[in-house]
Amino acid sequence: MTPDGISTAEWARVHEFAAEIVNASADDDEALGSSLVAQLLQELDRLELHYGRLASLLATRADYLDEGPALELLEEAYAIAQSGGDHAVCLLVADSLASRHIEDRRDRVQGAQWLAACAHALRSTGSASDIKQFEWLEGQLQLLP
C-alpha cells in the first residue's frame, strides 16, 4: 500500500502506464504515447473516484499536463501532503515545483519558495540523491537573474 492508502496492485498499474509512456517516447511513437497518456489519466480518474483527491494522484496527473494546470495540481498536492504530515510526498512535490519554477519558468521568487519547502522536508526525509538534486537546484537558482 502507498503511504496515502492506494493498494500496491493499483499503484503498480500507474507505474506500468508511466513505463509504457517512456518507452513510446523513446521510440518516437507520439500516437502511442498520446493514447497511453489518455489511458493513464483515465486510470488516475478511476483511482481518484475510489480514494479521493490524494497528493500522489494529483502530483502524478500533473506530470502529464500543461504547465498552468500542472502547477495548480502540484500546489494542491503539496497542501494535502503537508496537512497529512507526509514529508516524503511534500519533498517530491516541492522538488517538482522548484524544478518547474527554476528550470522552466526561470522564476527566482517562486523557485526560492519551493526550494525552501524542499529544505524543510529534507529535515525529515530524503536520500543522498534528494540532497544532490536540492543542491543542483540551489545552484541553478543562483544562476537566475
Side-chain angles (χ1 to χ4, degrees):
M1 186 168 290
T2 67
D4 52 6
I6 300 171
S7 80
T8 303
E10 289 176 307
W11 194 246
R13 185 68 187 130
V14 171
H15 278 279
E16 289 171 18
F17 276 120
E20 291 173 18
I21 291 166
V22 168
N23 290 337
S25 177
D27 293 341
D28 290 325
D29 191 338
E30 289 183 34
L32 177 60
S34 294
S35 172
L36 290 167
V37 167
Q39 291 175 56
L40 172 61
L41 294 175
Q42 287 177 340
E43 179 66 10
L44 293 171
D45 287 341
R46 187 188 71 72
L47 291 172
E48 188 173 323
L49 281 173
H50 185 262
Y51 292 101
R53 286 181 79 77
L54 300 177
S56 60
L57 297 175
L58 297 176
T60 302
R61 180 181 302 279
D63 287 341
Y64 298 94
L65 297 178
D66 293 330
E67 183 177 310
L71 290 174
E72 291 174 18
L73 285 177
L74 287 168
E75 289 173 6
E76 183 181 353
Y78 183 83
I80 290 168
Q82 189 176 40
S83 70
D86 189 340
H87 301 290
V89 174
C90 282
L91 176 59
L92 292 172
V93 173
D95 175 78
S96 184
L97 281 160
S99 294
R100 287 172 183 256
H101 284 293
I102 293 168
E103 296 177 83
D104 301 341
R105 302 182 83 210
R106 305 191 54 75
D107 182 333
R108 176 179 273 283
V109 173
Q110 290 292 312
Q113 173 189 330
W114 289 108
L115 204 55
C118 286
H120 184 265
L122 279 169
R123 292 186 196 116
S124 302
T125 191
S127 65
S129 65
D130 293 321
I131 294 169
K132 186 176 180 179
Q133 169 69 4
F134 171 82
E135 290 170 344
W136 185 83
L137 282 171
E138 198 171 42
Q140 294 301 302
L141 180 66
Q142 297 307 313
L143 297 175
L144 293 180

